[in-house]
Every structure is written in structure tokens, then in C-alpha cells.
Amino acid sequence: MLRLNDIKWSVPGENETDTNEILKGVSLEVPDGELTVITGPNGGGKTSLAKLIAGLDTPDSGSIQLDDADITDWDMTKRAKSGICFAFQQPVKFKGLTVRDLIELAAGEKCDWGTICDLLGGVGLCADEYIDRTVDSSLSGGESKRIEIATVLARKDAKVIIFDEPEAGIDLWSFNNLIDVFKKLKDEHGAALLVISHQERILEIADNIVVVADGKVRTSGSTDSVLPELMVNEKSARCPRRKDIRSEA
């Protein structure tokens, strides 16, 4: 179980004495074995929240707990070793590392061909074609995203898995496969799964939805109770080209 208690975080303003409040007292829980989706309008603080959980930034006040441990002051490395996995909105490129190298780093051990084949196959990639490819700019956005997800699947010790807008920059096939991966993670892995997303299809498979707006939790609860209200607001906002929940919820 991941718990956030009254998290506040700000960044410097234009003047040295000014600050911009990004998160204004966020409290929420991410239960083990369930998919929790954080959604809400752009600029509301969702990605900032994910980075604070992963340890990329430190909150100004409040606490972050993983099971019975207070991890608020832990650095990113210690959090990763404790079982917190973070998948970036834009996967990081690693010049000189192959796909095999990256998967084995994530797994923490050498992996045989069959294991890597299963991991890559689970995200729709052929091991013969990708196992020795370098994880660099030669990969497309969809390929990079799938490989990053494969590294997450390789983490047997994962307690919390965070995806920041995983649908960004990927093709339709990759997105459909991503939905299947989330279902598998939720049903089989047992970790606390946290996804930052606007996508309706991801929201539909969630167990819980948290709406973050203007640095605060505007509403939260089961998908059955929160999603209908979001969809009503989306229709009111008249966003005809994509099924995103970007309007004020």
C-alpha cells in the first residue's frame, strides 16, 4: 500500500522571493493489487505527484509511506530498490545499452533467451529482432514505450508501478497492447499500479480514479462512482477529436 499524506510542493517563481504552488495538500492511497488512475486537467499537478512518489523531487511538506515505511526522504535509488518502478512519459534513451542489457538490469540478474522472449512477446515485440538492438534514438516512440514496459514486467520485486501518461506518442496497436498489459499487471502481479492518464479506455479498467485539479484532489473513489461524472463533464466540454478526460472534473 502506498499512502500520500498532505503533500505540498512548490517551485520558484519569476522573482527570487516568489513561489508557485504546484501541489497544495494532496492525500491519497494506492492499494496493492489494484489499478488507480490519476486524471484531471492539464497543469493540475499529476506528473509532479508521480515524480515525487518516484523520488525525482522531494515534497516541501507531508509524507509518503510505502507499507509501514516512511520513504519521504529516500532518494530515487533507494526507492527503486524498495520496489518503486517509474515509467516515464517519454522513455529515456541509453546509448550503448542493448535491450537485453536493460531487461537484465531491471530484473537484477542474467536472463536466458526464453525469459527475454516472453517479456518482449508480452509487449508485442519479437526477441530475435530486438534483443540485441541498442536502446537509442533509432527506436520509434512505440518501440521505446514497449521496451520500457518490458523492463517493468521484468521487475519481480515491484511493489508500486507508476506510468506517466503511457499512451503518449504510441501507435494504436501499441496502445491496445498496453491495455492488455495493464489488465495482466492488475490481475496477476499484486503490485499497487498507478497510472497518470486522460484516456477513457484506461479509466474504464481502473479500480479507483483520483481527479487532481489545481494542485488538490478534487474527487476520488471507485471507477463506478467517479467515471460517470467525468464522462458527463467531457460531453459538456465538447472535445470531439479524442476521448480524453482533460476538462475540469
Side-chain angles (χ1 to χ4, degrees), residues 232-245:
V232 168
N233 288 335
E234 182 195 19
K235 290 178 181 178
S236 299
R238 302 292 184 184
C239 295
R241 293 188 179 180
R242 59 185 298 182
K243 292 185 177 181
D244 283 3
I245 309 299

Side-chain angles (χ1 to χ4, degrees), residues 27-28 36-40 208-213 216-222 225-227 229-230 233 245 248-249:
S27 298
L28 60 88
T36 300
V37 176
I38 297 180
T39 192
N208 314 292
I209 295 175
V210 180
V211 180
V212 174
K216 300 177 181 179
V217 173
R218 176 161 294 181
T219 186
S220 65
S222 68
S225 63
V226 176
L227 186 57
E229 179 184 351
L230 288 178
N233 288 335
I245 309 299
E248 292 285 339

Side-chain angles (χ1 to χ4, degrees), residues 150-193:
T151 66
V152 170
L153 296 174
R155 286 285 304 271
K156 298 177 182 178
D157 63 341
K159 294 182 179 179
V160 179
I161 303 174
I162 307 164
F163 290 91
D164 183 15
E165 297 200 24
E167 68 273 16
I170 64 173
D171 56 89
L172 181 59
W173 192 97
S174 296
F175 178 73
N176 290 334
N177 191 259
L178 184 67
I179 297 295
D180 292 337
V181 169
F182 286 158
K183 290 178 179 178
K184 183 177 181 180
L185 282 171
K186 186 178 75 164
D187 295 339
E188 300 178 10
H189 199 286
L193 185 58

Side-chain angles (χ1 to χ4, degrees), residues 8 14 96 129-131 137 149 163 191 198 231 233-234:
K8 296 179 181 178
E14 294 183 4
E129 297 179 11
Y130 286 91
I131 193 168
S137 58
I149 294 169
F163 290 91
H198 300 286
M231 299 314 300
N233 288 335
E234 182 195 19

Side-chain angles (χ1 to χ4, degrees), residues 65-141:
Q65 292 180 298
L66 178 61
D67 297 330
D68 295 325
D70 187 332
I71 67 171
T72 312
D73 296 325
W74 290 9
D75 62 23
M76 182 172 56
T77 300
K78 188 173 181 179
R79 293 190 197 199
K81 290 180 177 179
S82 74
I84 294 182
C85 303
F86 182 75
F88 291 87
Q89 186 177 139
Q90 299 296 331
V92 179
K93 307 294 185 181
F94 297 94
K95 186 177 181 180
L97 284 182
T98 66
V99 172
R100 177 196 287 274
D101 294 333
L102 201 58
I103 289 176
E104 290 181 341
L105 281 171
E109 60 185 10
K110 291 289 185 181
C111 299
D112 57 33
W113 189 91
T115 298
I116 296 176
C117 183
D118 288 343
L119 289 167
L120 292 176
V123 295
L125 297 176
C126 174
D128 285 336
E129 297 179 11
Y130 286 91
I131 193 168
D132 293 320
R133 285 193 62 176
T134 303
V135 186
D136 57 18
S137 58
S138 66
L139 295 169
S140 70

